[in-house]
Amino acid sequence: MSERHRPVLVVTSLHDATADVMIRVLNARGVPVARLDPGVDIHEGGALVATLGSDGMQGRITTATRSIELSDVRSVYWRRPTAYGPPPGLEGHAADWAVHQFRWGMGGVLASLPRCLYVNHPWHNRSAEHKPAQLITASQVGLSTPRTLITTDPQAAKDFCAAQPGGAIYKPLWTSPFPDEEGRARTVWVSAVDPGDITDEVSVCPHLFQAKVDKRFDVRLTAVGDKLFAVRIDINGDHLDWRKDYSRLSYASVPVPAAVAEGVRAYQSVFGLVYGAYDFAVTAQGDWTFLECNANGQWAWFHEEIRDPIAQALADKLQEGLS
């Protein structure tokens, strides 16, 4: 197959606005695109056939509507696919067994496509998800980070939070939905911590506490290869976590300080990332403090003036592939 006819594979769930934008941009360029949600499509008329040998990997993944030759894929945009589940009607240990085989079989094939660029490779995404690794790596590449404690010791938590001159905050180590009394999922937001409110329940699991940054505004910095797109986020209010209410936010593009740009590119290299969505807190003095990096963060909620350059830069990468 000629290079221009090789498809871009978008691995994600059906309801993914960020992937929708990317697919539209690639379609406008005349780049073939195949969308795949392996945890769903394989149970809805799909199939996997992959032959591995001295000549590499050959075969195909079929869905209810199309067939994707594994050796033809030029690049993969790995977004947010549905978790693997068992086939309908399978239960108990057999269902658990099938889920593991899907994860390691289908997942292993999709992560091993030949001559293929990944944005990002799913294993690189996974290694970059852990907040301790993020903070240590950011510090090592020269980015400023807030003093942080991860602990199961309630007294250590109290002592740490009391010792921070500007106060302390709590944030979850992983953003998992937390059901309320009626079973509805709710988000645990970043919140200020009063040392006197810390209880023995800290011992139940690891908790992350940080020195509160006296920020003037937030920055979401999106890295696509060597290109960096920084957006200032101002909040009409005083909540710490800007994700809590998007209707109260305003945005403006801002330049990236040279030292921050150097640190971000080094960070990308350490984790093998092509793409990353970085959150910084910026003080009144103009100091940028690294908070975290979502290696698979969204960008489609920005208005077009900010969103389109990011989309075009991603499309350039996906269209180019490894060539």
Side-chain angles (χ1 to χ4, degrees):
M1 177 179 287
S2 66
E3 193 67 27
R4 70 187 184 90
H5 289 110
R6 295 178 65 199
V8 172
L9 182 62
V10 179
V11 180
T12 196
S13 63
L14 179 62
H15 304 289
D16 182 355
T18 296
D20 293 343
V21 173
M22 194 72 265
I23 290 170
R24 288 198 296 270
V25 172
L26 291 169
N27 283 335
R29 294 182 175 204
V31 177
V33 181
R35 185 172 189 148
L36 176 69
D37 190 2
V40 172
D41 292 339
I42 201 69
H43 298 316
E44 297 182 353
L48 167 68
V49 177
T51 303
L52 290 73
S54 58
D55 57 345
M57 181 189 295
Q58 305 293 327
R60 70 198 64 83
I61 294 175
T62 57
T63 71
T65 59
R66 66 181 306 160
S67 178
I68 305 156
E69 292 294 323
L70 301 176
S71 60
D72 287 345
V73 177
R74 78 168 86 181
S75 57
V76 173
Y77 186 35
W78 195 282
R79 276 288 300 155
R80 298 183 178 180
T82 303
Y84 290 105
L90 201 62
E91 299 178 350
H93 294 305
D96 292 340
W97 169 266
V99 169
H100 286 296
Q101 302 312 302
F102 273 117
R103 181 176 297 117
W104 296 101
M106 177 74 79
V109 167
L110 288 173
S112 306
L113 300 179
R115 299 186 304 125
C116 183
L117 172 73
Y118 288 85
V119 182
N120 294 305
H121 195 286
W123 299 342
H124 294 174
N125 278 345
R126 179 57 58 88
S127 67
E129 286 175 342
H130 298 85
K131 283 185 171 62
Q134 292 183 20
L135 290 163
I136 289 296
T137 300
S139 181
Q140 289 174 340
V141 300
L143 296 172
S144 175
T145 61
R147 186 161 181 79
T148 302
L149 173 71
I150 299 172
T151 186
T152 60
D153 184 329
Q155 190 59 51
K158 291 179 182 180
D159 293 344
F160 175 86
C161 293
Q164 307 311 311
I169 60 97
Y170 163 79
K171 65 168 63 173
L173 286 152
W174 181 255
T175 306
S176 304
F178 193 91
D180 61 18
E181 294 179 354
E182 298 180 3
R184 297 172 299 186
R186 63 178 183 176
T187 300
V188 179
W189 304 107
V190 176
S191 57
V193 176
D194 183 333
D197 292 335
I198 295 174
T199 71
D200 289 344
E201 291 184 354
V202 167
S203 64
V204 170
C205 64
H207 287 63
L208 185 153
F209 301 95
Q210 276 184 340
K212 182 181 177 182
V213 179
D214 185 16
K215 64 182 179 181
R216 183 178 178 188
F217 57 88
D218 290 272
V219 165
R220 165 58 67 90
L221 187 156
T222 304
V224 183
D226 287 334
K227 295 182 178 180
L228 306 180
F229 305 89
V231 180
R232 171 174 173 161
I233 301 175
D234 287 288
I235 305 170
N236 180 17
D238 59 359
H239 52 277
L240 290 170
D241 195 328
W242 55 262
R243 301 169 303 162
K244 200 170 183 179
D245 187 352
Y246 285 80
S247 69
R248 300 172 69 180
L249 306 180
S250 60
Y251 311 106
S253 296
V254 292
V256 182
V260 172
E262 181 180 353
V264 166
R265 290 177 178 131
Y267 184 103
Q268 295 276 103
S269 179
V270 169
F271 284 111
L273 303 177
V274 177
Y275 172 92
Y278 295 76
D279 290 326
F280 289 88
V282 182
T283 67
Q285 294 73 38
D287 298 324
W288 289 42
T289 299
F290 171 94
L291 300 178
E292 60 184 79
C293 172
N294 186 339
N296 204 4
Q298 301 189 66
W299 44 268
W301 89 87
F302 288 127
H303 54 71
E304 289 186 10
E305 183 180 335
I306 291 173
R307 183 189 69 197
D308 287 354
I310 298 172
Q312 295 299 331
L314 274 167
D316 288 344
K317 282 289 182 185
L318 294 168
Q319 183 173 0
E320 179 183 356
L322 288 178
S323 59

